[in-house]
Amino acid sequence: MNRPDATLDVPIDPDTVGETIRRALQLGTGRPDLGELSAMHCALRAHISHLLPAARTSAARLP
């Protein structure tokens, strides 16, 4: 399902994305509870939805 995302008007913050990835990798070293996994899942999906339009635009310019 395509939903409008308010974060699309906000510049991509590589530090925030990197921190989320580091936290996700740390979750893999233990036994996180369901709430932690759910929050991480939502955060990662939000980053992907924010990055996809820029990636698609860049890819469209490729020969």
Side-chain angles (χ1 to χ4, degrees):
M1 165 169 52
N2 290 333
R3 293 181 294 181
D5 189 344
T7 63
L8 294 177
D9 295 333
V10 178
I12 294 169
D13 179 7
D15 293 332
T16 301
V17 174
E19 179 59 30
T20 302
I21 292 169
R22 281 188 288 282
R23 285 190 356 247
L25 291 171
Q26 289 173 348
L27 285 178
T29 63
R31 291 188 53 130
D33 68 33
L34 187 56
E36 286 179 295
L37 286 175
S38 179
M40 188 56 54
H41 176 256
C42 290
L44 291 169
R45 285 183 58 97
H47 289 314
I48 291 168
S49 71
H50 193 170
L51 293 166
L52 260 177
R56 286 183 175 141
T57 299
S58 294
R61 291 190 297 244
L62 295 174

